[in-house]
Amino acid sequence: MPGGLVKAKKYDWKDSNLALFGSDTEKKVKKESAETEPAWKGAGQQVGLQIWRINKFKVEHWPKEEYGKFFNGDSYIILNTYKEKDSEELNYDLHFWIGSKSTADEYGTAAYKTVELDTLLDDKPVQHREVEKHESSMFKGYFKSFTTMNGGVDSGFKTVKPEEYKPRLLKVSGVRKNVTVTEVPYCRSQVTEDDVYIIDKGNKLYLYCGSSCNMMEKHRGSEEVQKIKSTRGRASHEVVESLGHSCFLDFDETPVEEDEADDEPDGSEPSMFKLSDNSGQLEFTSVSNEGTLSRSNLSPDDVFILDTTKECFVWIGSGASVAETQNGMSYAHNYLNNTSHPLITVSIIKQGKETRAFMQATVA
């Protein structure tokens, strides 16, 4: 097992042992229980995207007009229903997204309810864990625009009069289809020449394009300004060409403590582990593979965790026990906590339903 983290992480939920998610192996999620959850009514019955937010242990529908917007203090469940070419069969990718300020309770509930929805859909979905700032390209690809905002359930989308609006700073950054909008601290030190920024003061918005920003960021910034204005009635906007503009005068000049880097250098090698209860109790052991992830090491009687260092797969053998199956995600979560890449996407793959990403990440 890898050693301790190089630097403390700020994700409150990360130290959770996922008590609400499969760790009590005697409490298997029942389909009958899933059928009593009001939020799941109509889930996965037609092609398209559906999103729910966790609010005090309950699952609530997220407004369709807000799809692509996420609060960093919350956890969400996202179901993508689709059909393969020339097929009428419904297929699913089922994600739970964890905001950087989401609590362990919210994360645990999202994970637990994800399993419940998976059960309701007869175990057909491929499950994925997504973490803010580390989302998979598949996940981000669902949305024309992707925005993360400060706050959580208590913030909501409350109607606030423009004159009572608390100013905020939005950072627009990325390339091509990966341009995202993220709320950052309202501090002058946050503004650089590399990206595009929106200073949102309620009834007046300002757009600043750094001298080194790209055209996609400029385009996305302009789109976001228009989108915000459409919800504000008489709000106006102005394009700012200098950091000396008066719109920056009320900014907090106190340096903001930076979170850990999103893409820290990671010299670790790909690793594979086996989760098995053949001895009568769950055992988590390393599978020697010399830095390669070989499918020849997989056994249908067990669960395997394959860490590419960029993505983690939980492979469920067709003959794996209930205890092994239920605990795969929690073991992957706890294992990753002790690596230098704890926040990478985790996907559950069932034997016989291996995804293209899984096949590309492994060798025969």
Side-chain angles (χ1 to χ4, degrees), residues 38-91:
W40 300 149
K41 184 177 181 180
Q45 299 306 302
Q46 57 185 7
V47 170
L49 201 64
Q50 294 170 281
I51 301 179
W52 300 265
R53 178 169 69 168
I54 302 302
N55 182 358
K56 299 176 181 178
F57 299 100
K58 294 183 179 180
V59 183
E60 297 180 343
H61 284 279
W62 190 232
K64 287 188 178 295
E65 61 271 19
E66 304 299 345
Y67 279 17
K69 293 183 178 180
F70 298 89
F71 281 112
N72 64 7
D74 291 330
S75 290
Y76 299 77
I77 296 172
I78 299 90
L79 175 67
N80 181 45
T81 304
Y82 65 97
K83 293 180 181 179
E84 297 285 5
K85 186 178 180 181
D86 300 324
S87 173
E88 289 302 310
E89 181 181 6
L90 293 176
N91 295 285

Side-chain angles (χ1 to χ4, degrees), residues 1 270-276 283-287 289 292-293 297-298 302-308 311-317 324 327-336 339 341 344-349 358 362:
M1 184 79 65
S271 303
M272 182 184 294
F273 298 87
K274 179 171 73 171
L275 180 63
S276 175
E283 294 182 348
F284 187 66
T285 57
S286 175
V287 177
N289 52 15
T292 60
L293 303 176
N297 289 326
L298 302 176
D302 299 303
V303 167
F304 290 79
I305 293 171
L306 297 82
D307 173 18
T308 74
E311 184 173 5
C312 184
F313 298 98
V314 178
W315 185 85
I316 309 291
E324 293 165 349
N327 283 281
M329 179 65 86
S330 59
Y331 267 78
H333 169 86
N334 293 328
Y335 153 72
L336 288 172
T339 71
H341 46 272
I344 60 176
T345 297
V346 180
S347 299
I348 295 181
I349 306 295
F358 177 84
T362 58

